[in-house]
Amino acid sequence: MARTEPVYVAGAYEHPTREAPDTSTMQLHAEVAAGALRDAGLPKDAVDGYCTAGVPEYSYAKTPLVMADYLGLDVAFADSTEFGGSSYLAHVGHAANAIRNGVCDVVLVTLAGRPRSRSQDTGTGVREMITVQDSFERIYGEMGVTNYAMAARRHMHEYGTTSEQLAAIREAASYHAQYNEHALYRDPVTVEDVLESRPIADPLHLLDCCVISDGGGAVVVVSEDVREELDRECVSVLGYGEAIGGTRAGRVDVTESAARLSGERAFADAGVSRDEIDYVSLYDSFTITVLMALEDLGFCEKGEGGSFVEGDTLKAPDGELPFNTDGGGLSSNHPGNRGGMTKIIEAVRQLRGEANDEVQVEDATLALAHGTGGRISTRHGCGTLILGREDR
Amino acid sequence: MTWEPRPVPDVTPETRRFWRAAAEGRLLLNDCPDCGLTYFHPRALCPDCFAEAEWIESDGTGEIYTYSVVHQISGWPEEHVPVIVAYVELDEGPRLLTNVVGAEPADVGIGDRVRVTFVETENPDVAVPVFEPVSSA
Ligand SMILES: [Zn+2]
């Protein structure tokens, strides 16, 4: 691709809250927007592009319009690509293209949500029939966790993957979370703890599932012209790829996600190889989501994810491929049931050398942030970003 | 027993024939006269080539492709939990999402042969297809 103009993430901010009963979701959007602009050192009126998705508490409304109006933004570029939790990776990718095309210079991307304050419990779903597919799926009690559980079951059947191997992913995430003062759960958990936690959708246990948290986050994507005026260390957006997975009219393969294609596209766009990646933020709605992403993104062969994650592979700072050093969605934060934004933010922290000391990867130069939104086994959207240290 | 209080399908002009056939004890699939794809869920135009599809009747037999035993579903009647949510691969090819009924969760496995059966709803024109194990006897 002939897109050479550099584009940067200049600001990143994760809201410290994990439970916010006395505020509104819109207020959280504003707070994270202000935080990301403050981090970048940019004034609010510099923003000329805006992206968000979901805003599920306002689903009757037009997502970008209500939020742009609430935030008081006047923009030349807007995007509300809705991939579920991975939407924000898509937004950064799309923002980078808009900037390269000269449409805008400063794109704000925000996420916020409050499912914890709304008393959503792990493994609960929605009964509404909204899409045609719902009438053929939700009537059976199908939910997000069900679909990931069915993927895990088939993966175990085809490749011999075990519950212990999936639990090792949670163990590594919780090991990182102990160093994150804002993490919802800071106590390290063992493989045995995961296996002994109550079944939600067999073979997935409670501790195979991400947390339910309120909160949000934001990033600011800027052009080269804007970056030159900033004092803040920025992170280069080197490559992006996306792909949509579905049921394929009855030919679904639940053991593979759209990450295979989004990853191929991102690596081709960035022109780097897998073994150059120092740190990965991997979408972790469930432990199986991480395992399949490792395979589909090409960090190991299909079917070898189980053995790959055993031991300390994923543990920072010395593991072969440190992941989710903030504790991820599994232990720290999954704001609004959407983990994509925090994946980008922790990758930015690693490349700036601003992760928590105990889990900072030494000389982190290249990072990958990946989102799997929606539901594997049915419809899902994957976005993969490859980010680099500014001085690389 | 009727399906309610579990959620019922939203019947549309595109899917009415499928649900009515189910109420008569028949499982319908779509078949494309142009490219030959047999597919599920129902939709008017073939998702591979956009030709107008035809309806065919499935034999209603297949095997479990994957499944999960679900222990908690909000709003689900307690006597219907745990639920076995599964993808069944029909002998005609398509994999469809469904429930496996009439089996203990511990006795269910990938590859098990199953056959369709239908649960009535309060709407006489709608029944819900589910699958039960084919006894080896
Ligand atoms: Zn066709």
Side-chain angles (χ1 to χ4, degrees):
Chain A
M1 258 170 274
R3 301 183 295 102
T4 50
E5 168 120 354
V7 173
Y8 303 88
V9 177
Y13 179 76
E14 179 182 8
H15 205 295
T17 194
R18 299 295 185 265
E19 186 160 12
D22 299 321
T23 185
S24 73
T25 297
M26 284 186 164
Q27 181 179 336
L28 291 176
H29 275 276
E31 288 173 5
V32 296
L37 287 168
R38 196 164 57 237
D39 182 53
L42 280 164
K44 178 171 176 293
D45 62 9
V47 175
D48 60 359
Y50 177 62
C51 306
T52 193
V55 198
E57 291 164 60
Y58 306 99
S59 59
Y60 60 89
K62 308 293 182 282
T63 295
L65 308 188
V66 294
M67 287 313 309
D69 185 36
Y70 178 90
L71 295 171
L73 299 174
D74 182 9
V75 296
F77 167 74
D79 182 22
S80 282
T81 295
E82 178 56 89
F83 280 180
S86 62
S87 303
Y88 314 91
L89 294 121
H91 296 161
V92 170
H94 300 175
N97 286 335
I99 290 168
R100 288 190 184 106
N101 286 331
V103 176
C104 50
D105 286 291
V106 178
V107 180
L108 173 67
V109 185
T110 68
L111 154 74
R114 299 167 56 249
R116 192 172 184 84
S117 290
R118 288 164 175 261
S119 304
Q120 187 186 331
D121 197 4
T122 299
T124 60
V126 186
R127 293 163 62 86
E128 284 175 283
M129 299 294 140
I130 298 166
T131 67
V132 170
Q133 291 99 328
D134 290 342
S135 289
F136 294 92
E137 296 167 358
R138 285 191 179 172
I139 60 167
Y140 297 110
E142 174 263 6
M143 303 172 290
V145 65
T146 327
N147 291 355
Y148 288 84
M150 288 195 294
R153 171 87 65 201
R154 184 75 197 183
H155 205 282
M156 290 172 171
H157 176 78
E158 286 191 28
Y159 302 114
T161 308
T162 66
S163 289
E164 287 79 1
Q165 291 169 333
L166 291 176
I169 294 168
R170 177 60 182 263
E171 184 197 20
S174 74
Y175 174 82
H176 298 150
Q178 66 181 313
Y179 303 112
N180 180 355
E181 62 173 319
H182 300 299
L184 189 60
Y185 299 117
R186 293 188 66 184
D187 290 340
V189 303
T190 65
V191 167
E192 289 69 32
D193 291 335
V194 178
L195 299 186
E196 286 165 13
S197 64
R198 69 184 162 91
I200 299 292
D202 187 54
L204 298 181
H205 312 78
L206 178 66
L207 295 183
D208 285 299
C209 305
C210 63
V211 305
I212 291 184
S213 56
D214 301 344
V219 293
V220 182
V221 187
V222 306
S223 64
E224 173 75 358
D225 287 349
V226 170
R227 183 198 67 86
E228 284 172 0
E229 302 299 316
L230 298 176
D231 295 328
R232 187 70 164 112
E233 182 180 344
C234 295
V235 162
S236 305
V237 179
L238 298 173
Y240 170 70
E242 69 188 33
I244 293 175
T247 57
R248 302 182 60 242
R251 292 163 292 186
V252 64
D253 175 357
V254 301
T255 65
E256 185 177 287
S257 74
R260 186 176 64 77
L261 289 172
S262 70
E264 275 177 16
R265 289 165 184 160
F267 277 105
D269 193 27
V272 304
S273 64
R274 274 101 181 141
D275 58 15
E276 291 179 87
I277 300 291
D278 301 303
Y279 164 79
V280 289
S281 282
L282 298 179
Y283 204 89
D284 54 351
S285 45
F286 304 94
T287 49
I288 183 69
T289 322
V290 175
L291 186 138
M292 283 174 56
L294 287 164
E295 295 175 347
D296 293 337
L297 293 170
F299 290 104
C300 61
E301 293 294 315
K302 178 53 73 181
E304 291 177 3
S307 51
F308 185 80
V309 302
E310 285 179 335
D312 294 333
T313 308
L314 300 176
K315 283 185 190 167
D318 299 322
E320 184 187 330
L321 189 66
F323 97 124
N324 299 7
T325 39
D326 55 348
L330 288 169
S331 292
S332 172
N333 197 11
H334 197 67
N337 299 324
R338 289 165 173 256
M341 178 62 76
T342 44
K343 299 297 165 291
I344 305 167
I345 293 171
E346 184 66 6
V348 170
R349 290 192 191 110
Q350 280 287 349
L351 294 173
R352 283 172 163 173
E354 295 175 359
N356 293 308
D357 289 344
E358 297 85 349
V359 294
Q360 175 66 51
V361 175
E362 193 183 345
D363 200 28
T365 307
L366 282 174
L368 176 145
H370 172 78
T372 302
R375 303 170 178 188
I376 56 172
S377 300
T378 58
R379 290 158 297 287
H380 58 282
C382 286
T384 308
L385 278 170
I386 295 172
L387 304 170
R389 210 165 62 192
E390 184 183 338
D391 61 3
R392 172 180 171 265
Chain B
M1 185 183 86
T2 74
W3 189 254
E4 291 87 350
R6 288 173 284 189
V8 293
D10 181 23
V11 179
T12 71
E14 197 179 14
T15 62
R16 180 170 293 122
R17 186 160 163 178
F18 174 87
W19 297 113
R20 193 170 282 163
E24 296 165 356
R26 297 182 296 126
L27 180 67
L28 296 190
L29 300 171
N30 284 130
D31 196 61
C32 177
D34 274 19
C35 75
L37 178 69
T38 301
Y39 65 90
F40 185 87
H41 62 85
R43 68 205 89 170
L45 301 188
C46 169
D48 273 9
C49 75
F50 284 166
E52 278 190 44
E54 296 169 350
W55 293 94
I56 60 167
E57 187 172 333
S58 166
D59 287 342
T61 52
E63 63 178 52
I64 295 173
Y65 166 68
T66 188
Y67 69 99
S68 172
V69 181
V70 187
H71 296 267
Q72 180 182 355
I73 307 176
S74 57
W76 220 252
E78 234 171 70
E79 67 268 27
H80 295 163
V81 178
V83 176
I84 304 172
V85 178
Y87 266 113
V88 164
E89 182 174 306
L90 295 171
D91 291 337
E92 290 88 356
R95 293 168 181 163
L96 57 83
L97 207 122
T98 189
N99 292 146
V100 173
V101 302
E104 287 302 313
D107 296 336
V108 167
I110 287 175
D112 288 2
R113 295 290 299 169
V114 290
R115 174 195 303 123
V116 73
T117 181
F118 298 88
V119 184
E120 290 178 1
T121 70
E122 288 167 7
N123 180 345
D125 285 334
V126 175
V128 175
V130 296
F131 287 76
E132 58 188 8
V134 175
S135 61
S136 47

